[in-house]
Amino acid sequence: MSLKLVGVLVCGFVIVAAQVSHAPPPGPTGPIKPVTNSTSKPTTTVTTPKTTTISTSKPTTPTTKTTTTSTTPASTTSTSTTSTSTTPAPAPTTTPQPPVGPPVNTFKISYSNSSNYCLLMNVSLEIEVSGTNTTNSTKLDVPLLPITFGSCSPDSGKLQISWGTNSIEFHFEETKAKKYDFNIIYVTVGSDLYIYNKTAFPARVSESYKCDKVQTLDLAVLNNSTTKAAQLHLSHLQYQAFTNSSKQEFNTAWDCSGVNTPDVVPIVVGCVLAVLVILVLGAYLYGRKRWNASGYLSMFADTGDDKDYIPMKTLSCFK
């Protein structure tokens, strides 16, 4: 009985040993099941990076497109805002207004039998005649391009301007001091005649007279047909007489606005300074002579005696 049991055990051991010897060796991770799992894992690992790469590039592209799209409306909005705020910015254009007052006329007179000019003048003229009341007055403007007539000699000439029943006549002359001026002005308003018999607007022959501001000349009644006072207003005046040149250009202008200083001013200033220098020099010489006469000598005198000097000890400040 015991022998049979021993035989069975030996046979079982032999069978188990045979099976163990013919079985494949186990891998590092264990039996076949772990081996199969390890094979599937590398496959999953390879697939995962591909999927990750594709999914990453796809969201990146729409993100960029979305950003560009949002930027475009932003800039459009900014442009529309700027144009809206800039629209009222330009200042309104202003139409140049015509000058107030009578028009400025240009008058030219030539020498007889010559193309050289004797008188060039730009001026705006207006006549004002007072009524029966001092508060009422009538103003007559010289229109643009009135009828003109003029004549000129080497040292005198006249210019006549007429429109309707009104006229203004300028007489001008050259003086011996190489200056020219208007010496007589006649003004006719209807049947009334006025005169200005004084020197007006003097200037040198080498210069032109210019005055933009309004200048008023009080006219005197020349006939007995009227007792109304009258005035002649001149503005934008520039004239030059006895130019004896074919050029229609004014020489250097003497401006009445005070820019030019008359020649008498520097002469007077120089004379005053000379008188002051003479007075100071005379006072110095007189004082020096008086001091010498009273015994006070200069310390640098070439001739002198010790007795002529005041001893320092006698002065009160040294006592």
Side-chain angles (χ1 to χ4, degrees):
M1 184 72 174
S2 59
L3 293 174
K4 289 183 180 181
L5 181 59
V6 172
V8 172
L9 292 174
V10 170
C11 289
F13 179 76
V14 171
I15 292 170
V16 172
Q19 290 178 354
V20 172
S21 62
H22 289 286
T29 56
I32 296 174
K33 189 175 182 179
V35 171
T36 304
N37 290 341
S38 65
T39 305
S40 63
K41 282 183 180 178
T43 304
T44 305
T45 303
V46 172
T47 305
T48 302
K50 289 183 180 180
T51 305
T52 304
T53 303
I54 294 171
S55 64
T56 302
S57 61
K58 282 183 178 180
T60 301
T61 303
T63 302
T64 305
K65 288 182 180 180
T66 305
T67 304
T68 304
T69 304
S70 63
T71 303
T72 301
S75 63
T76 304
T77 305
S78 175
T79 304
S80 62
T81 305
T82 304
S83 60
T84 304
S85 62
T86 308
T87 301
T93 56
T94 57
T95 304
Q97 299 295 330
V100 180
V104 179
N105 281 288
T106 300
F107 305 104
K108 305 172 186 178
I109 301 177
S110 301
Y111 288 100
S112 301
N113 302 323
S114 175
S115 60
N116 292 345
Y117 290 102
C118 171
L119 176 70
L120 298 174
M121 182 166 70
N122 297 333
V123 66
S124 176
L125 298 167
E126 182 182 60
I127 303 172
E128 183 177 1
V129 180
S130 62
T132 54
N133 266 332
T134 55
T135 56
N136 297 330
S137 62
T138 302
K139 293 184 178 181
L140 303 173
D141 295 343
V142 176
L144 190 63
L145 300 178
I147 300 172
T148 59
F149 169 79
S151 61
C152 193
S153 65
D155 57 357
S156 64
K158 70 176 180 179
L159 169 66
Q160 184 177 354
I161 306 166
S162 60
W163 71 104
T165 59
N166 312 310
S167 66
I168 302 174
E169 187 174 312
F170 294 92
H171 289 253
F172 54 94
E173 65 177 359
E174 182 180 352
T175 63
K176 295 181 180 180
K178 293 299 179 181
K179 292 185 178 182
Y180 61 89
D181 53 44
F182 292 115
N183 56 343
I184 300 176
I185 301 175
Y186 294 102
V187 177
T188 302
V189 180
S191 60
D192 300 331
L193 183 61
Y194 304 90
I195 187 175
Y196 185 82
N197 194 11
K198 297 178 182 179
T199 300
F201 317 131
R204 293 180 178 179
V205 174
S206 59
E207 298 177 341
S208 64
Y209 180 92
K210 183 178 181 180
C211 195
D212 290 330
K213 66 182 181 180
V214 178
Q215 298 184 90
T216 301
L217 303 180
D218 294 324
L219 305 176
V221 177
L222 189 60
N223 58 2
N224 296 325
S225 63
T226 181
T227 57
K228 300 176 183 178
Q231 293 178 327
L232 178 62
H233 304 294
L234 303 91
S235 60
H236 303 93
L237 171 63
Q238 185 172 9
Y239 85 105
Q240 181 172 330
F242 308 106
T243 55
N244 197 15
S245 173
S246 60
K247 296 181 179 180
Q248 302 182 28
E249 299 177 355
F250 292 104
N251 290 344
T252 303
W254 189 95
D255 200 330
C256 71
S257 60
V259 176
N260 304 286
T261 304
D263 294 340
V264 68
V265 174
I267 294 175
V268 171
V269 172
C271 293
V272 171
L273 292 176
V275 171
L276 289 176
V277 170
I278 293 173
L279 291 177
V280 171
L281 183 60
Y284 170 74
L285 294 176
Y286 174 77
R288 182 180 177 84
K289 183 178 180 181
R290 185 175 179 182
W291 292 337
N292 291 341
S294 61
Y296 291 90
L297 299 178
S298 174
M299 295 178 62
F300 303 99
D302 295 335
T303 60
D305 199 356
D306 293 340
K307 64 181 180 179
D308 295 327
Y309 296 96
I310 301 174
M312 299 295 289
K313 63 181 181 179
T314 60
L315 298 177
S316 59
C317 60
F318 291 97
K319 291 183 181 179

